[in-house]
């Protein structure tokens, strides 16, 4: 189905971008100012995907069910996905995780995202979610587009911060591998 193919393509682009951008980062670069850091943004990108697709699919978040919270040394809170209202400046600055851990968590969530998207029919994509705080009510497709938009934004922020740290701004054409910033 064209709709699910487009969604899958978008999430695959985020996946590939995150892998390319984080591939050669050092532990120091992952936590470097300004904050939020590249590491925290990569974590948030994945937490948003995990929490949303889990809710849509009616299953436990991998963060909790598969023990990712423990691996990150964080509490298994289902609503903890880096919203500005819940993470203080100090929490964001204190965040630490290796790129290997960040990418492993993202890989697991991406696989679940792909499985979920491949189950969707046109009717399921059009299903309205029972979330009266939003008007009009969002559909499954709208929610997935919101998650994709967040992923693209966070991946772009990570790419910009990498260029900022290494090149003094967004000048990827000056890098040996310009694609490592996208």
């Amino acid at each position: 189905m064209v709709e699910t193919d487009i969604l899958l393509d978008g999430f695959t682009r985020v996946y590939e971008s995150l892998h390319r951008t984080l591939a050669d980062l050092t532990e120091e670069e992952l936590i470097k100012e300004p904050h939020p850091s590249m590491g925290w943004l990569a974590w948030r990108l994945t937490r948003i995907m995990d929490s949303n697709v889990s809710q849509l699919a009616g299953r436990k978040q991998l963060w909790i069910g598969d023990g990712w919270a423990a691996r990150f040394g964080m509490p298994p809170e289902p609503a903890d996905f880096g919203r500005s209202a819940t993470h203080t400046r100090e929490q964001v600055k204190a965040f630490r995780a290796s790129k290997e851990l960040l990418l492993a968590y993202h890989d697991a969530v991406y696989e679940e995202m792909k499985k979920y998207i491949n189950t969707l029919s046109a009717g399921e994509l059009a299903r309205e979610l029972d979330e009266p705080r939003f008007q009009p009510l969002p559909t499954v497709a709208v929610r997935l587009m919101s998650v994709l938009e967040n992923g693209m934004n966070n991946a772009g922020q990570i790419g910009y911060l990498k260029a900022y740290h290494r090149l003094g701004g967004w000048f990827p054409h000056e890098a040996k591998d310009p694609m490592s910033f996208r």
Side-chain angles (χ1 to χ4, degrees):
M1 172 183 350
V2 171
E3 297 90 344
T4 55
D5 290 346
I6 291 168
L7 285 167
L8 195 52
D9 180 67
F11 284 108
T12 299
R13 289 174 189 230
V14 170
Y15 169 86
E16 290 170 350
S17 177
L18 190 64
H19 273 266
R20 255 191 329 269
T21 308
L22 295 187
D24 65 344
L25 288 180
T26 66
E27 298 296 318
E28 181 184 321
E29 286 174 313
L30 280 171
I31 61 171
K32 196 170 184 177
E33 292 278 358
H35 281 86
S37 65
M38 288 184 275
W40 186 88
L41 287 166
W43 169 81
R44 180 182 188 276
L45 179 162
T46 306
R47 283 293 296 124
I48 296 289
M49 285 177 62
D50 186 12
S51 65
N52 278 276
V53 76
S54 297
Q55 182 181 17
L56 291 170
R59 64 162 175 74
K60 250 187 177 174
Q61 295 177 23
L62 297 181
W63 184 249
I64 296 163
D66 285 8
W68 286 100
R71 288 178 236 180
F72 278 83
M74 297 170 75
E77 297 291 334
D80 183 10
F81 42 82
R83 294 177 298 188
S84 60
T86 59
H87 272 206
T88 65
R89 183 179 303 267
E90 291 75 26
Q91 286 173 305
V92 171
K93 283 185 171 187
F95 179 85
R96 301 287 186 275
S98 69
K99 67 183 172 194
E100 292 81 13
L101 181 60
L102 290 164
L103 290 173
Y105 178 43
H106 189 78
D107 291 353
V109 170
Y110 173 70
E111 288 303 318
E112 289 301 313
M113 177 68 78
K114 287 192 311 186
K115 285 182 205 171
Y116 175 67
I117 289 173
N118 284 324
T119 70
L120 296 174
S121 65
E124 179 62 12
L125 284 168
R127 178 176 60 90
E128 287 185 340
L129 302 175
D130 184 20
E131 297 177 355
R133 68 184 180 276
F134 300 114
Q135 290 301 320
L137 292 175
T139 62
V140 169
V142 166
R143 174 56 43 77
L144 288 171
M145 285 305 298
S146 295
V147 174
L148 181 56
E149 176 192 27
N150 177 78
M152 290 178 167
N153 282 332
N154 286 158
Q157 290 168 321
I158 294 165
Y160 175 77
L161 285 171
K162 182 177 181 179
Y164 173 80
H165 292 312
R166 292 190 174 178
L167 306 171
W170 185 250
F171 306 105
H173 64 279
E174 294 177 3
K176 288 180 185 172
D177 181 11
M179 287 306 294
S180 73
F181 294 90
R182 300 171 194 254

